[in-house]
Amino acid sequence: MRRRTVLAAGLLAAPMAGCAGRGNEGDRVFRQFDPANQVGGLAETIESWNAEHPDYRISMETLSPNNPQQFAREANAGSGPDIAQLAFTDVSFMAEPRILTPLDDLMASSPAEGGDDLLATDMTTYDGSMWAVPWTADTMALVYRPDVLEQAGISETPQDWEELAEVAAKITQDAGGEVSGFVFPAGAQFSSAQWFPINYYLWAHDSQLIRADGETWSVGVSEQQLADTMEYFTSFFTEGITPVSMQATTDYGDPSIIGSLDDGTCAMTFMPPAAFRTARESVGAELMTAPMPGGLEDGATHLGGRALGINANCEEPEAAWEFVKFLMSPETFENYPQYPASATTLDQIDVDPSEQGYIDQLPHAESFARYADAPITIASLQALVNQQFSAVYSGQSEPPDAARKIISTITTGLEE
Amino acid sequence: MGTIRLRSLQPYLLSAPALLVIGLLFLVPSIYNVILAFQNLTPYQSPGDAESVGFENFSDLWSSGELPNAAFNTVFWLTAMSVVLRLLAGLGLALALQSPILRRWKLRGLSRTLILIPWMVPQVVAIAAWRWILDGNSGVLNQALNALGIIDGAIPFLAQTSTVWWSIIAIIVWRELPFVVMVLVAGLQSIPSEQYEAASVDGAGRWTSLRSVTLPNLRPVLTIVVLVTVIQTFNNFVYVWLTTGGGPGNYTAVLATELYSAAFFDNELGTGAAIGLLMTVIMAIFAVLYLRVTATKEDA
């Protein structure tokens, strides 16, 4: 899509409709939302594309953090970037109002390298069509300080959640309370990262928040299972294993977590790959990754990642698809430090030994497709769960009451 | 004849640009918000795809059970407490800045500049800095309290119900106090010194002067300060959202955070618009009542 000239009348329309063309005149726009300090390699890759394709130059636009609703507003107004990076969980929202281009024909007529064994296609398929192509894959891995574990006489990371609680308690006790065995961000905010281990715990114990039953949805967890999960995570605070201050922290990359990894007062936490790499650079000690508890069980951890979609307003979808294929190629991942969402391409990339935890776990991870397309959004589930777990940690609710609240809210949401 | 007709149109022509801007930037969005409150629309759909749902968004709000807690927090904690504290602290500081001692020591200009610093810090930066200060693990406040021997251990200020509202209010007061101080200083400067001299001749002490001269003269300024700070705070979203996100649990949830959650997490723009409409009505009632009360007092 060529950048449209904004006429005098556009002075009023521009703030409302937005205008994608922030790149050079004539460029097509690729919008991505990873932080600017993590996409240097991607920018170089796009430069190499532009050098070889002067007739289809790409201008990379960074709009961080992820804001799919901004893209939707622009696309609904006939504007927006030509190619957009999308979180897996956002694809169906874009597909439903048809603001993306369906990719089935493009994929059939010009297959992408590694396109036969893509992970998480269940998140990019909607109404029988493919609306975006999985591009990168990530998950959470256990991040730990091997020296701190060694000091407590622990040679292997915990294999399941029960073992995690035991190992973490031992580390804290051995250090006389000076070291937190396991640290996790447990804030009430919608975005709080506690959402991931809570789900992992549930999935590893044969339950999940909601469950698809054909065309209908139902609650997939009992009050008792939820209350047990709340008691499990609360025990980290009541037993002094995790600092209470974590109840106000939402992000795995929070300075308080990085700081405690750095000074050795945190033995274990969890992070996705990009956050781990940032932490590794900031911490003056060796950091390693291992699969999350239960992470080597199929479906016990989540497969997240980014997809690439083509705007329905794109005037040259075939050319845009060629660029998407280029982004999916092994060549891109030589410079772009992410894991490809193609099993074949994943096998071709070199990974730092400290990141082996992700590599071991990724083949067993499953997407949030189990919650996608339900009448209640994943974001709503996340907000609800984080809030009610937080209410228990802070003593506002007892686990059975909070569990009942979650189930009743989910039930109402599913009925709507 | 032509000149007379042009003259009669002149006021309308001159005010047309202002009316156009007000119409486009205020009236159109406000009217659209009212329409949206009766519709079902997600942030991913085009406005043309909206479905009319009558009063359903309002009835859902009523039945959700979340609204009373958010409304109480908005009115009592976020607005009333923070505005009262700002007024008291602001009046005290304004009087201090007007004191003859500062003038004698030629510190008036410097102190007024220093008092403005928090207001120059962007809200987001101020909140991020305060989050670090209040951190229960490594926060400088905990370190200072420990060093002074006031506490032994660490207080997770933003993670426990007993301290979280006071922490948010402290941030609001710190960041927004300069506005109150500067307006009140301007008000104090407008009071004729003869009134204080007359009061002094009549034997009035400092307290009597404050009560009988300063406060009555400041009433118009105080009216504006209260109105502006109440409206600004009642609608404020960032202080709660960036410090606690409404937590722990939903202990600090306010109407603005509920609005945001409804519109952008639950994908229910109509419900968000309904909350926005409710907030506007509450503020309108407050503004009318407050202006009537103050007008009545002034008339009397």
Side-chain angles (χ1 to χ4, degrees), chain A residues 158-408:
Chain A
Q159 301 299 304
D160 58 35
W161 290 97
E162 287 69 26
E163 195 183 341
L164 172 78
E166 287 167 21
V167 167
K170 181 177 185 319
I171 292 169
T172 299
Q173 283 163 10
D174 284 2
E178 294 295 311
V179 177
S180 302
F182 180 62
V183 169
F184 67 106
Q189 285 93 325
F190 131 83
S191 58
S192 176
Q194 64 166 323
W195 161 255
F196 295 103
I198 289 168
N199 274 285
Y200 293 0
Y201 184 92
L202 288 172
W203 299 348
H205 291 83
D206 300 322
S207 62
Q208 55 192 51
L209 292 170
I210 52 175
R211 203 181 291 279
D213 185 16
E215 291 294 306
T216 59
W217 290 84
S218 58
V219 178
V221 62
S222 69
E223 272 182 27
Q224 187 59 51
Q225 285 169 321
L226 259 182
D228 289 347
T229 310
M230 288 170 177
E231 277 167 7
Y232 174 83
F233 284 100
T234 307
S235 70
F236 284 92
F237 298 112
T238 53
E239 292 178 22
I241 300 166
T242 304
V244 178
S245 61
M246 286 297 120
Q247 293 171 22
T249 299
T250 58
D251 187 18
Y252 26 70
D254 191 272
S256 59
I257 295 179
I258 304 294
S260 56
L261 277 172
D262 188 39
D263 64 21
T265 55
C266 165
M268 294 181 284
T269 183
F270 63 88
M271 287 176 187
F276 172 69
R277 286 176 196 134
T278 306
R280 197 172 51 196
E281 286 168 15
S282 311
V283 172
E286 186 186 20
L287 281 187
M288 295 295 286
T289 62
M292 292 290 287
L296 298 181
E297 292 169 32
D298 287 348
T301 55
H302 94 287
L303 177 68
R306 321 292 199 218
L308 294 171
I310 298 176
N311 191 334
N313 304 310
C314 179
E315 290 166 2
E316 303 147 295
E318 289 82 9
W321 171 245
E322 289 304 313
F323 175 68
V324 168
K325 281 167 54 185
F326 170 74
L327 289 183
M328 292 168 67
S329 68
E331 186 185 344
T332 294
F333 290 96
E334 282 171 16
N335 288 327
Y336 184 39
Q338 294 282 345
Y339 301 131
S342 156
T344 313
T345 317
L346 186 62
D347 285 342
Q348 295 176 30
I349 60 165
D350 292 327
V351 175
D352 188 284
S354 66
E355 296 183 25
Q356 194 57 41
Y358 298 105
I359 299 300
D360 293 343
Q361 189 176 299
L362 268 173
H364 303 282
E366 282 182 18
S367 73
F368 270 110
R370 66 183 90 199
Y371 296 164
D373 303 335
I376 185 167
T377 66
I378 293 176
S380 299
L381 283 173
Q382 192 169 353
L384 172 68
V385 165
N386 287 343
Q387 186 188 72
Q388 290 306 315
F389 272 70
S390 168
V392 172
Y393 305 150
S394 57
Q396 294 173 70
S397 296
E398 290 298 318
D401 297 332
R404 211 169 298 128
K405 181 80 188 287
I406 288 177
I407 287 175
S408 107

Side-chain angles (χ1 to χ4, degrees), chain A residues 14-262:
Chain A
M16 290 178 268
C19 179
R22 293 195 187 95
N24 299 324
E25 191 64 41
D27 282 358
R28 288 75 171 182
V29 176
F30 162 56
R31 180 184 291 170
Q32 69 88 38
F33 54 78
D34 285 334
N37 64 352
Q38 291 175 15
V39 290
L42 184 60
E44 283 175 27
T45 304
I46 290 172
E47 274 176 34
S48 73
W49 163 274
N50 286 339
E52 291 173 19
H53 299 83
D55 56 332
Y56 195 82
R57 288 177 55 82
I58 293 290
S59 174
M60 187 173 83
E61 184 181 87
T62 296
L63 196 75
S64 184
N66 180 25
N67 189 345
Q69 289 147 4
Q70 163 92 10
F71 175 82
R73 280 193 295 274
E74 294 173 27
N76 276 319
S79 178
D82 296 81
I83 302 122
Q85 183 193 50
L86 309 164
F88 285 166
T89 47
D90 295 331
V91 174
S92 60
F93 294 126
M94 307 289 184
E96 191 183 7
R98 306 298 191 253
I99 55 181
L100 290 173
T101 301
L103 301 178
D104 307 84
D105 292 344
L106 293 167
M107 291 175 79
S109 61
S110 177
E113 189 178 350
D116 292 338
D117 53 3
L118 292 170
L119 309 167
T121 49
D122 45 1
M123 292 296 284
T124 56
T125 306
Y126 180 83
D127 221 5
S129 291
M130 190 86 140
W131 295 88
V133 61
W135 181 34
T136 68
D138 61 48
T139 186
M140 298 288 175
L142 201 68
V143 171
Y144 66 99
R145 287 252 321 226
D147 57 332
V148 177
L149 261 62
E150 205 175 303
Q151 277 170 21
I154 294 157
S155 56
E156 284 190 9
T157 52
Q159 301 299 304
D160 58 35
W161 290 97
E162 287 69 26
E163 195 183 341
L164 172 78
E166 287 167 21
V167 167
K170 181 177 185 319
I171 292 169
T172 299
Q173 283 163 10
D174 284 2
E178 294 295 311
V179 177
S180 302
F182 180 62
V183 169
F184 67 106
Q189 285 93 325
F190 131 83
S191 58
S192 176
Q194 64 166 323
W195 161 255
F196 295 103
I198 289 168
N199 274 285
Y200 293 0
Y201 184 92
L202 288 172
W203 299 348
H205 291 83
D206 300 322
S207 62
Q208 55 192 51
L209 292 170
I210 52 175
R211 203 181 291 279
D213 185 16
E215 291 294 306
T216 59
W217 290 84
S218 58
V219 178
V221 62
S222 69
E223 272 182 27
Q224 187 59 51
Q225 285 169 321
L226 259 182
D228 289 347
T229 310
M230 288 170 177
E231 277 167 7
Y232 174 83
F233 284 100
T234 307
S235 70
F236 284 92
F237 298 112
T238 53
E239 292 178 22
I241 300 166
T242 304
V244 178
S245 61
M246 286 297 120
Q247 293 171 22
T249 299
T250 58
D251 187 18
Y252 26 70
D254 191 272
S256 59
I257 295 179
I258 304 294
S260 56
L261 277 172
D262 188 39

